[in-house]
Amino acid sequence: MSLSLKKRLAAACAMGAATVLVAAVPASAHVIVQPSSVPKNATDQTFAFRVPNEDDKNSTVKVEIDFPTDHPIPSVKVAPVPGWADTIQTTKLATPIHTDDGDITDAVSQVVWTGGQITPDHFQDFTIELGALPGGTDKVVFKTLQTYSNGKIVRWIEEPQDGQPEPKNPAPVLKLTAATAATASDPDGPTPSAAASAKADPPATSTATAKASSDDSTARALGIAGIVVGVLGVVTGVVLARRGRGTGRGTSA
């Protein structure tokens, strides 16, 4: 086998191996809200903010979720999380929200969890229930601050834009889809099927011990693709080797 052919074979194998290694690296996790979308007229909806710990040495010790003030949310209920204490902050509205039960002058501005820990390679679901969704918008952006035990603060506050690459630290976004048809017995609420659909993906409420990256299906798909490319690289090298030997025999004859 000629020296140049050996180099091509080595390069093909190296390219395939490198592709496998790069593709096998899981995508970086970030704070998300589950479910990520509900009908605009959904009521008494339960959501979970999943917070992964991305630090190899330090634990997450504080989570702050800011609620929008331009599209206010009047009330929230917080599910207890073992080991964590929660605080609900409210703010006075410049323009009251008019309802059949009277005007609402205060809205939720922030929910804070402290006292617990999310250790490295773990995540935690923080569950809340919204009594009503805001009107006049197609999405709700929940800017989130994550504080680690060494004092580092990760600000998940960048709003993703349609058609643009995902920002480095995206904020959790709840999308509000078209309102569902009302039923005869409940003209202001969603149909039973719509309610079931909205709650078809219930969030977990207990402390999770699985790694945040283990359920990243995208990373697994990329890993498989990388393996395929690696195999193709090896096959290409073998074909080149055989051609080289054939060329060598022809020259010597």
Side-chain angles (χ1 to χ4, degrees):
M1 184 185 298
S2 66
L3 181 60
S4 60
L5 184 57
K6 288 181 179 179
K7 289 182 178 180
R8 290 199 297 270
L9 176 60
C13 294
M15 180 185 67
T19 304
V20 172
L21 290 176
V22 172
V25 176
S28 178
H30 49 264
V31 180
I32 59 174
V33 59
Q34 299 177 314
S36 59
S37 65
V38 293
K40 292 182 179 181
N41 60 340
T43 59
D44 298 325
Q45 281 290 305
T46 299
F47 302 92
F49 291 91
R50 175 159 293 185
V51 181
N53 189 354
E54 297 184 303
D55 195 295
D56 294 334
K57 298 180 180 179
N58 301 285
S59 299
T60 296
V61 295
K62 184 179 182 181
V63 176
E64 306 171 57
I65 297 179
D66 292 329
F67 284 60
T69 55
D70 53 344
H71 299 288
I73 296 175
S75 63
V76 63
K77 294 179 181 178
V78 181
V81 181
W84 293 81
D86 56 76
T87 303
I88 301 174
Q89 305 287 345
T90 60
T91 186
K92 186 71 67 176
L93 295 176
T95 303
I97 300 174
H98 302 291
T99 70
D100 295 337
D101 298 324
D103 289 349
I104 298 176
T105 58
D106 297 279
V108 179
S109 59
Q110 188 181 70
V111 179
V112 182
W113 286 269
T114 56
Q117 291 191 48
I118 307 174
T119 55
D121 295 328
H122 291 74
F123 64 82
Q124 177 65 56
D125 285 344
F126 296 92
T127 306
I128 64 172
E129 181 183 280
L130 303 182
L133 297 171
T137 183
D138 293 329
K139 60 183 177 181
V140 184
V141 180
F142 296 96
K143 296 183 178 181
T144 303
L145 302 184
Q146 180 179 9
T147 303
Y148 285 90
S149 52
N150 64 347
K152 179 181 69 174
I153 299 177
V154 179
R155 304 176 184 275
W156 303 99
I157 60 174
E158 299 176 70
E159 184 176 345
Q161 302 294 329
D162 293 337
Q164 299 295 322
E166 184 178 73
K168 181 179 179 181
N169 294 322
V173 177
L174 172 64
K175 295 183 179 180
L176 303 180
T177 60
T180 55
T183 62
S185 59
D186 183 13
D188 297 323
T191 62
S193 59
S197 175
K199 296 186 178 182
D201 184 20
T205 57
S206 60
T207 302
T209 58
K211 290 186 178 182
S213 62
S214 63
D215 59 353
D216 196 326
S217 59
T218 302
R220 290 197 297 269
L222 289 174
I224 294 172
I227 293 173
V228 172
V229 173
V231 172
L232 290 176
V234 173
V235 173
T236 301
V238 173
V239 172
L240 290 174
R242 290 180 177 176
R243 289 182 177 176
R245 287 198 296 269
T247 302
R249 288 194 296 268
T251 303
S252 62

